[in-house]
Amino acid sequence: MVGRVQTGMLCLGAILTAVLGHQVTPSRALADDLPIVVGVSVPPQAFLVERIGGKRVAVHVMVPPGASPATYEPSPQQLVALGRSSLYVEVGHPDFVFEQRHLESLLQANPRISVLDMAAGTEASCQIEPSGQLAEDPHIWLSPRRMRTAACAIEAALVRLDPEGAPHYRQNLTDLLSDIDRLDSEITQLMEGLQGRRFMVFHPAWSHFACNYGLLQMAIESEGKEPGPAQLVGTIEEARGEKIRVVFVQKGFSDRSARVIAEELGAKVESLDPLSRDWLENLRYSAGRIAAAIR
């Protein structure tokens, strides 16, 4: 892809210099050129860009809250905003449907836009053997440890676009990494003694979160499809054996099967939002609900 920024960078407590395969042209070095327009695929990425960039950036989200990345179609207004962008932060996962369907052609029409692959350099490392869902789950932003590395890559890209803003970006990154590390520590303590336990979701969005904290996700949906009658019966029996008390659903997806299963189990149905823009507090809340469901 034209203008792609390759990242293989690490952030280990201190802020290290990003290693980029192709430099971003520092075309925004003057204050008169601010704010830098940055496009992102989903709201949690906007959280990172805004925390690091502050008032020096303006962020446009392509897939809005409550929409499904599997079915969303960008509006004409979004396409215009994308055309004004200097940087696009893609999820970069091969199974992220929105990017596979739209991003390549959109960026070919705007070859001056640099693209940062959020997934690069953020490979998962699990405490327990993950299910096969992990490789197919594009929701990498639900892992604080992968978001930490992505934050460092975003800071490096902004510094190269806007060298005069480097002190601002680096201080903001330091503060953000501190918040991410604190959240990671809180969730680790919250999940102490719960490793290996299963929680049930309709849409398999929480594989990377489960990977981080030694949990196992049970998903009702498989390959984007609701279960058939035989599979539904099997899922209910498996959930009953695991003493599932809560079935988690999310906006943008049918909850019909989840409610059938919950009724059979005498379980509650609760909603979690993996696409919340308030990433830090949303993940803290979601971790608390998951921990309460499996404790």
Side-chain angles (χ1 to χ4, degrees), residues 191-236:
M191 300 302 176
E192 185 67 34
L194 302 179
Q195 284 75 24
R197 297 198 185 181
R198 296 174 181 267
F199 63 99
M200 175 166 274
V201 299
F202 174 74
H203 183 62
W206 296 85
S207 308
H208 297 281
F209 175 88
C211 167
N212 267 188
Y213 302 107
L215 309 177
L216 290 168
Q217 171 188 254
M218 295 177 63
I220 297 170
E221 182 189 70
S222 178
E223 298 181 349
K225 300 177 182 178
E226 292 199 44
Q231 186 181 356
L232 192 62
V233 170
T235 300
I236 291 170

Side-chain angles (χ1 to χ4, degrees), residues 5-280:
V5 180
Q6 300 293 337
T7 61
M9 171 277 310
L10 299 175
C11 261
L12 303 175
I15 302 170
L16 304 181
T17 302
V19 179
L20 301 178
H22 298 287
Q23 292 189 358
V24 180
T25 303
S27 59
R28 297 279 182 169
L30 300 177
D32 289 346
D33 293 327
L34 296 177
I36 298 171
V37 180
V38 181
V40 300
S41 291
V42 291
Q45 296 171 298
F47 168 85
L48 288 185
V49 177
E50 289 168 341
R51 278 291 306 266
I52 296 166
K55 293 182 179 179
R56 299 181 78 90
V57 302
V59 183
H60 295 285
V61 181
M62 298 300 286
V63 182
S68 168
T71 58
Y72 185 73
E73 296 288 335
S75 68
Q77 292 85 353
Q78 288 179 306
L79 300 182
V80 171
L82 178 65
R84 295 197 301 265
S85 300
S86 296
L87 175 68
Y88 193 96
V89 183
E90 67 175 350
V91 173
H93 190 283
D95 287 336
F96 193 73
V97 178
F98 172 80
E99 291 173 356
Q100 294 299 313
R101 291 178 62 190
H102 298 294
L103 191 57
E104 196 76 27
S105 59
L106 292 177
L107 292 169
Q108 284 178 356
N110 298 276
R112 70 179 187 83
I113 303 173
S114 296
V115 180
L116 179 65
D117 182 349
M118 179 180 171
T122 66
E123 290 75 14
S125 177
C126 289
Q127 297 180 13
I128 60 175
E129 184 67 24
S131 70
Q133 295 171 343
L134 185 66
E136 300 171 0
D137 184 357
H139 299 77
I140 60 175
W141 59 86
L142 295 177
S143 161
R145 297 164 199 176
R146 301 187 80 171
M147 283 286 269
R148 192 182 200 283
T149 304
C152 297
I154 290 169
E155 183 266 351
L158 290 176
V159 167
R160 288 177 181 256
L161 283 168
D162 175 25
E164 289 185 1
H168 171 80
Y169 300 135
R170 286 167 184 156
Q171 182 58 56
N172 287 351
L173 176 63
T174 298
D175 295 342
L176 174 59
L177 294 182
S178 178
D179 286 345
I180 293 175
D181 289 345
R182 187 179 302 110
L183 175 66
D184 188 22
S185 178
E186 288 176 12
I187 299 176
T188 298
Q189 293 178 23
L190 184 66
M191 300 302 176
E192 185 67 34
L194 302 179
Q195 284 75 24
R197 297 198 185 181
R198 296 174 181 267
F199 63 99
M200 175 166 274
V201 299
F202 174 74
H203 183 62
W206 296 85
S207 308
H208 297 281
F209 175 88
C211 167
N212 267 188
Y213 302 107
L215 309 177
L216 290 168
Q217 171 188 254
M218 295 177 63
I220 297 170
E221 182 189 70
S222 178
E223 298 181 349
K225 300 177 182 178
E226 292 199 44
Q231 186 181 356
L232 192 62
V233 170
T235 300
I236 291 170
E237 290 306 309
E238 183 181 6
R240 185 172 286 124
E242 294 290 339
K243 297 181 171 57
I244 295 295
R245 305 192 307 270
V246 179
V247 181
F248 292 106
V249 298
Q250 76 179 70
K251 294 179 181 178
F253 292 86
S254 168
D255 62 0
R256 180 181 58 186
S257 297
R259 293 191 178 279
V260 169
I261 291 173
E263 185 175 353
E264 287 291 325
L265 298 174
K268 297 188 297 182
V269 175
E270 294 187 13
S271 179
L272 297 179
D273 183 8
L275 290 171
S276 172
R277 192 165 184 145
D278 189 1
W279 175 82
L280 199 73

